[in-house]
Amino acid sequence: MTHQHTNSFKKFIQYFWIAISGKETEFTTGSIRKAIFMLSIPMILEMLMESIFALVDIAYVSKVSVNAVATIGLTESVITLVYALAIGLSMAATAIVARRIGEKDVDGARIAAVQAISLGVVISIVIGVVGIIFAKDILALMGGDPDLIAEGYGYTQFLIGGNITVVLLFLINAIFRGAGNASIAMWALVLSNGLNIILDPMFIFGFGPIPEMGVKGAAVATNIGRGTAVLFQLGILFFGWGKIKLMAKDLVLNFKVMLNLIKVSLGGIAQFLIGTSSWIFLMRIMSEFGSEVLAGYTIAIRVMMFTLMPSWGMSNAAATLVGQNLGAKQPDRAERSVWKTGKYNAYFMGTVSLVYLIFANTIVSWFNTTPEVVKSGALCLQVIALGYIFYAYGMVMTQAFNGAGDTGTPTKINLIAFWVFQLPLAYISALVLGWGATGVFVAITAAEILIAVLAMIWFKKGKWKKVQV
């Protein structure tokens, strides 16, 4: 028995090492379980790095003031609109690159990569200009108090102004993932977030010649960290060891490929916009219950993001497996990959939900000890954790559609679950029936359960297998 355990452990370590060193990029043959592992491990680590940074960031900023934490909450709910564009384009890039790699058309994958990056640059410059000019108005629109705006607008200005670093980081990582180079995407985020964690306290509280910048310092540190990682990504695209290698002659615009990217990404953008705009409305409802309840909610969402990241990692693995296997004309293998990934994700999310249900108060009090903040944050964690197993399947199915290039189906699902169902339910239960913040939390959980049910029904119909990208 012990010998068998030792062998299993050795095998795990061996596979783990191959996964993070990125030696394997071909996932259309062999064991599906191994393919899920090889893709998920770097994607999970990549997502964990992103969420560790989010937690460290809020921990440092909590030491500045309650207003500073609330500023981050309000700015993030707006910058999610930028993420929507970046994620929509990223979904399209992953789907098209994975499909070309599955078809063994590396040139086609290279052309798609260049068009995606060009689009990203143009979009982020436009958004950056708007963010720099209208930072104060954006915070006021979100319901920020005058003193919050005065203290926090610099953060908003820097974060939205420097959004090109976020957009390119997302996009180039999506290209690597589609090509099966998930480990490169992981190392880019290790670099970005490692730098962030070191620079954050220096710019927030001051260090040597660097003046104390308060909450604005968090945005400056974030831009430097992400910008450095983008330079690293570009270095690998042009000189590195990835499957896709760009040369000077590739740097031409190809409008046919670009239009195809835009077409596929519109569904992805719409999906995310529907989700995030409903998030903004929920934030607006939550702000009715005061800064402390809002701070509790913001902390709870950050903590949940931390555990959702591994789950996202597994879901992204499903997207790459679907894209590559459809490209290799193996739709049944693509389908089996999705059900298996969903099952592993449900095991993980089930475990996390138990931790939240038991230790919610303790977890929130690590970030803030104000009784009202702890109470609202803990309640949020517990209520939302009740739907986690459904969430696990819903996420994997949604990413499977996206990996197939069928971004329209998840858009319909999000529209029904978030706008038609979640927002009216949150508004009525929180403000009309007087359940307060609890009404919002219940609406979030109910919507996630609905997403999972609808996604499974549509996935079983199998229309996603016939999508051409």
Side-chain angles (χ1 to χ4, degrees):
M1 188 64 183
T2 325
H3 180 65
Q4 197 181 349
H5 273 150
T6 313
N7 274 349
S8 301
F9 184 67
K10 275 185 180 163
K11 204 167 199 180
F12 174 83
I13 295 295
Q14 182 194 352
Y15 281 176
F16 184 86
W17 183 247
I18 294 171
I20 62 167
S21 60
K23 292 199 172 75
E24 199 151 326
T25 54
E26 171 59 63
F27 301 107
T28 53
T29 53
S31 154
I32 291 178
R33 200 164 141 192
K34 183 181 168 192
I36 294 170
F37 183 84
M38 290 293 176
L39 279 166
S40 295
I41 290 295
M43 289 182 187
I44 287 170
L45 291 173
E46 177 191 344
M47 294 299 182
L48 271 176
M49 279 307 300
E50 191 60 35
S51 42
I52 285 171
F53 163 66
L55 285 180
V56 171
D57 199 33
I58 207 90
Y60 285 135
V61 171
S62 297
K63 293 187 172 55
V64 179
S65 66
V66 170
N67 262 349
V69 178
T71 300
I72 287 192
L74 296 178
T75 305
E76 287 215 330
S77 43
V78 175
I79 203 156
T80 42
L81 301 176
V82 177
Y83 289 155
L85 294 167
I87 285 175
L89 260 177
S90 302
M91 283 175 187
T94 297
I96 292 171
V97 169
R99 190 71 71 98
R100 297 294 161 268
I101 294 293
E103 293 164 352
K104 306 275 187 278
D105 174 11
V106 180
D107 287 347
R110 277 214 312 267
I111 293 166
V114 170
Q115 307 316 307
I117 294 168
S118 311
L119 269 172
V121 169
V122 172
I123 292 167
S124 52
I125 288 172
V126 174
I127 293 168
V129 171
V130 173
I132 290 167
I133 298 171
F134 298 108
K136 289 181 178 174
D137 308 287
I138 290 168
L139 285 174
L141 200 65
M142 286 301 297
D145 308 331
D147 56 336
L148 180 146
I149 295 171
E151 186 183 334
Y153 82 93
Y155 175 84
T156 310
Q157 224 171 18
F158 266 89
L159 208 63
I160 301 178
N163 80 91
I164 189 164
T165 58
V166 181
V167 173
L168 290 184
L169 192 61
F170 266 43
L171 247 186
I172 302 174
N173 270 356
I175 292 164
F176 288 140
R177 273 193 231 105
N181 292 130
S183 68
I184 301 177
M186 175 196 79
W187 289 114
L189 275 193
V190 168
L191 174 65
S192 151
N193 293 327
L195 272 173
N196 262 335
I197 289 166
I198 297 164
L199 296 174
D200 237 5
M202 293 182 177
F203 283 93
I204 293 172
F205 308 113
F207 180 81
I210 301 167
E212 182 181 333
M213 293 186 189
V215 67
K216 180 169 88 174
V220 176
T222 300
N223 280 338
I224 295 172
R226 284 179 173 152
T228 308
V230 170
L231 295 175
F232 164 76
Q233 289 173 319
L234 291 170
I236 285 178
L237 273 179
F238 284 98
F239 311 107
W241 68 90
K243 196 157 199 170
I244 294 181
K245 255 208 164 87
L246 298 182
M247 314 189 192
K249 68 177 172 59
D250 296 320
L251 303 182
V252 282
L253 294 181
N254 181 322
F255 290 107
K256 191 178 163 207
V257 176
M258 203 178 263
L259 282 172
N260 190 25
L261 264 165
I262 292 170
K263 195 178 79 191
V264 179
S265 65
L266 285 177
I269 292 168
Q271 264 171 66
F272 200 79
L273 277 180
I274 290 164
T276 45
S277 56
S278 72
W279 212 237
I280 291 174
F281 282 117
L282 291 180
M283 259 304 193
R284 193 69 191 84
I285 295 172
M286 288 297 292
S287 67
E288 294 292 315
F289 309 116
S291 264
E292 290 181 336
V293 173
L294 190 62
Y297 176 65
T298 303
I299 289 169
I301 296 300
R302 278 285 173 111
V303 171
M304 280 165 51
M305 284 301 171
F306 185 69
T307 47
L308 283 178
M309 290 303 176
S311 197
W312 266 113
M314 277 189 251
S315 308
N316 284 336
T320 298
L321 285 168
V322 167
Q324 288 199 5
N325 282 300
L326 287 179
K329 306 279 184 285
Q330 298 189 65
D332 293 344
R333 182 181 163 87
E335 186 173 352
R336 288 202 311 280
S337 304
V338 175
W339 286 112
K340 272 199 172 156
T341 311
K343 185 176 74 178
Y344 299 143
N345 205 7
Y347 291 156
F348 169 73
M349 293 291 269
T351 312
V352 172
S353 63
L354 288 175
V355 174
Y356 283 168
L357 290 169
I358 301 165
F359 301 110
N361 279 304
T362 315
I363 294 170
V364 178
S365 61
W366 291 339
F367 297 91
N368 195 304
T369 48
T370 313
E372 193 57 37
V373 173
V374 174
K375 189 180 141 195
S376 107
L379 185 66
C380 178
L381 277 183
Q382 287 168 327
V383 174
I384 295 176
L386 293 172
Y388 257 26
I389 288 180
F390 288 93
Y391 200 50
Y393 273 101
M395 239 190 307
V396 169
M397 298 283 159
T398 303
Q399 286 301 83
F401 288 124
N402 290 327
D406 176 10
T407 48
T409 300
T411 305
K412 286 177 208 148
I413 294 172
N414 281 5
L415 194 60
I416 295 165
F418 290 136
W419 283 7
V420 178
F421 179 75
Q422 185 191 62
L423 287 178
L425 181 62
Y427 183 82
I428 292 164
S429 54
L431 300 173
V432 180
L433 300 176
W435 293 6
T438 312
V440 176
F441 307 152
V442 169
I444 293 172
T445 305
E448 294 307 342
I449 293 171
L450 181 62
I451 285 176
V453 173
L454 293 175
M456 282 185 188
I457 293 168
W458 265 317
F459 185 77
K460 280 184 168 168
K461 287 183 178 171
K463 285 187 181 164
W464 55 274
K465 294 178 185 174
K466 299 181 178 67
V467 174
Q468 297 298 318
V469 291

